Amino acid sequence: MFNPAPSGLRAMKFLWNQYQSSLNFSPVAKEKWIDEFFFCLLGGYGVKYELNKSAFLILKEKGYFNKENDWEDILGISQGITNELLKKQFTLDYSKGKLRAYRFPYSKGDIIAKAGNWLKVMCNFHLDELFLKESNSKQNRLCLISCPGFGLKSASWLLRNIGMGNDLAILDIHVYRTLQELRLIPEEFFIPKNYLEIEDSYCNICRIINAKTEAMDLIIWTWARQGRHETSRYPL
């Protein structure tokens, strides 16, 4: 049985105590769940948050996430989204005004079109009705990963953001590397192969240090993105 490093637990506890009061997180309101659905689809796989946000805002303004779209026309919607993503007008760093092209525009256009059609067929764009049928977050996640484009991480991300995934882990590369560096999970654990095992370990760690699972990953994500030097990155 793997035992997490005491020093790693102390570091996690320090981060929680240091930053929990400044954490600004509240669940997304139901009327914005569909926006969050497509926002999460646009993220992940090396797409930085700032790029994700810019792409989402442009596509939303163009009307690509509207319920009234002809979602059965997957090819047409996919081509339209891809063309927008190829225009390379997305801001990566708002403060510096740098522009970057969106990664994987062809595959992402196809994924969003197929996911929109799934949403139309499954619940006619009423995610609240789809999810509230099941009170168990893991059952809701299992339903969501049947949608094109959603895996364990992105499904957990969406459910946490809408307030229905408090016992799930959003294991992006920042959180995963932090858990590895602090020796809180076995070295042989990798994502996505060991996602559920890492999630169990993460949730157990949060219980040990009395931290909220849905908030701790945000603290780690923010901390890791600060880009501190390796020797000064962790306090303990």
Side-chain angles (χ1 to χ4, degrees):
M1 180 178 179
F2 179 82
N3 293 315
S7 60
L9 291 174
R10 289 196 297 271
M12 290 278 281
K13 183 66 174 178
F14 175 89
L15 290 174
W16 174 252
N17 290 337
Q18 187 78 5
Y19 297 107
Q20 64 167 309
S21 61
S22 60
L23 189 67
N24 184 22
F25 171 76
S26 59
V28 174
K30 282 185 182 180
E31 58 268 23
K32 295 184 178 180
W33 281 13
I34 298 302
D35 283 352
E36 201 66 21
F37 175 90
F38 288 110
F39 179 83
C40 290
L41 276 176
L42 281 163
Y45 299 103
V47 178
K48 291 184 179 295
Y49 172 80
E50 293 80 6
L51 188 62
N52 182 359
K53 183 176 181 180
S54 293
F56 168 79
L57 291 174
I58 290 173
L59 292 177
K60 179 176 173 60
E61 183 180 357
K62 296 287 185 178
Y64 282 107
F65 306 141
N66 292 340
K67 173 184 176 180
E68 292 75 18
N69 290 340
D70 181 8
W71 288 102
E72 292 184 356
D73 181 17
I74 292 175
L75 181 60
I77 292 177
S78 172
Q79 288 178 340
I81 292 172
T82 297
N83 289 338
E84 291 298 327
L85 294 177
L86 284 171
K87 288 183 178 179
K88 301 183 180 181
Q89 56 180 342
F90 304 101
T91 304
L92 175 58
D93 187 332
Y94 290 142
S95 63
K96 297 180 181 178
K98 293 182 179 178
L99 298 179
R100 293 289 186 272
Y102 185 88
R103 300 188 71 187
F104 319 117
Y106 293 99
S107 60
K108 191 64 72 170
D110 185 59
I111 285 172
I112 292 176
K114 290 178 179 177
N117 188 54
W118 180 91
L119 197 59
K120 181 75 173 180
V121 171
M122 289 293 290
C123 62
N124 196 28
F125 278 64
H126 293 290
L127 271 178
D128 55 330
E129 295 181 6
L130 179 67
F131 289 149
L132 293 180
K133 291 177 182 178
E134 299 286 357
S135 60
N136 186 301
S137 59
K138 292 185 178 179
Q139 288 177 303
N140 283 331
R141 182 171 66 181
L142 189 61
C143 171
L144 190 55
I145 61 176
S146 69
C147 175
F150 277 100
L152 288 169
K153 179 249 179 177
S154 52
S156 302
W157 186 21
L158 173 60
L159 289 168
R160 189 280 304 279
N161 286 358
I162 65 176
M164 302 187 70
N166 295 346
D167 58 346
L168 304 176
I170 298 87
L171 300 176
D172 73 345
I173 192 62
H174 299 295
V175 176
Y176 168 71
R177 285 176 177 170
T178 298
L179 294 175
Q180 282 280 15
E181 290 169 8
L182 292 178
R183 293 180 291 123
L184 294 172
I185 57 175
E187 290 184 1
E188 64 270 19
F189 275 9
F190 295 97
I191 294 176
K193 178 182 177 183
N194 303 109
Y195 193 102
L196 295 178
E197 293 97 325
I198 297 172
E199 179 178 68
D200 286 342
S201 296
Y202 167 79
C203 291
N204 185 53
I205 289 165
C206 288
R207 285 191 290 269
I208 292 172
I209 66 173
N210 197 29
K212 295 181 179 180
T213 57
E214 70 273 23
M216 189 68 216
D217 77 284
L218 280 172
I219 290 175
I220 296 173
W221 179 78
T222 303
W223 178 265
R225 275 168 49 99
Q226 290 177 353
R228 297 190 178 193
H229 189 274
E230 198 67 30
T231 58
S232 63
R233 188 168 172 185
Y234 303 108
L236 298 173

